[in-house]
Amino acid sequence: MTRRARLSKADRELIAAARSAIKARYRNDWQEVGAALRTRSGKIFTGVNLDAYLGRMAVCAEAVALGRAVVDLGDAGIDTIVAVRHPPPDETDQTIAVVSPCGACRELIFDYDAKAHVIVPNPNPSLPRKRGRGGSGAAVVPIADLLPNKYSRGPKT
Ligand SMILES: [Zn+2]
């Protein structure tokens, strides 16, 4: 599948699930990102990031959501995944917006499902943006598009 600027109902549900997760567990400087993934079997798992005093111990929300899926179902694949950021209280815009996965999460998502799709902020400025809503301002892209020249331990055979 190629890039889609228009989100499906299922995509919007996934964004809503990620928003609910971080709304429920937001803690300034500790939990600021929520994620939701849909497995190939259609089940939704959510996660929030785990920040840590020792910064390198921090874990991304996508990894937590994936961990919950693997514990419950084993390797069930990733149909679609999304992350959203809850702004800190002093930020003027309190929109919980879709954010791109970090580089490490791109590797992780690809490892668990090379055909996964990711909902990302829509960089196309010509498309209308409706803040605070699940539908606009986001696009669905294949994980492979977000990770050209993926890390490999050796040459492909
Ligand atoms: Zn990450």
Side-chain angles (χ1 to χ4, degrees), residues 6-19:
R6 190 173 283 276
L7 302 185
S8 69
K9 186 166 175 271
D11 296 332
R12 290 194 301 274
E13 282 170 6
L14 208 57
I15 294 170
R19 282 189 174 133

Side-chain angles (χ1 to χ4, degrees), residues 5-7 12 15 19 95 97-98 119-122 127-139:
R6 190 173 283 276
L7 302 185
R12 290 194 301 274
I15 294 170
R19 282 189 174 133
T95 303
V98 171
I119 302 173
V120 294
N122 191 349
L127 290 169
R129 258 185 95 92
K130 285 185 197 156
R131 290 192 165 269
R133 304 203 34 157
S136 301

Side-chain angles (χ1 to χ4, degrees), residues 17-18 21-22 33-37 45-49 60-66 68:
I22 195 55
V33 176
L37 72 81
F45 290 89
T46 58
V48 297
N49 73 301
C60 289
E62 295 96 318
V64 172
L66 179 62
R68 293 179 78 188

Side-chain angles (χ1 to χ4, degrees), residues 24-37:
R25 298 290 173 237
Y26 175 78
R27 279 199 304 155
N28 195 8
D29 281 343
W30 289 96
Q31 277 78 51
E32 298 180 322
V33 176
L37 72 81

Side-chain angles (χ1 to χ4, degrees), residues 76-128:
I78 302 168
D79 178 79
T80 309
I81 187 166
V82 65
V84 298
R85 174 186 172 266
H86 191 303
D90 60 346
E91 216 167 273
T92 313
D93 186 349
Q94 286 294 305
T95 303
I96 301 177
V98 171
V99 291
S100 286
C102 74
C105 282
R106 292 175 194 210
E107 291 276 349
L108 182 72
I109 294 162
F110 195 108
D111 286 344
Y112 278 79
D113 196 323
K115 302 259 189 268
H117 285 84
V118 186
I119 302 173
V120 294
N122 191 349
N124 186 343
S126 69
L127 290 169

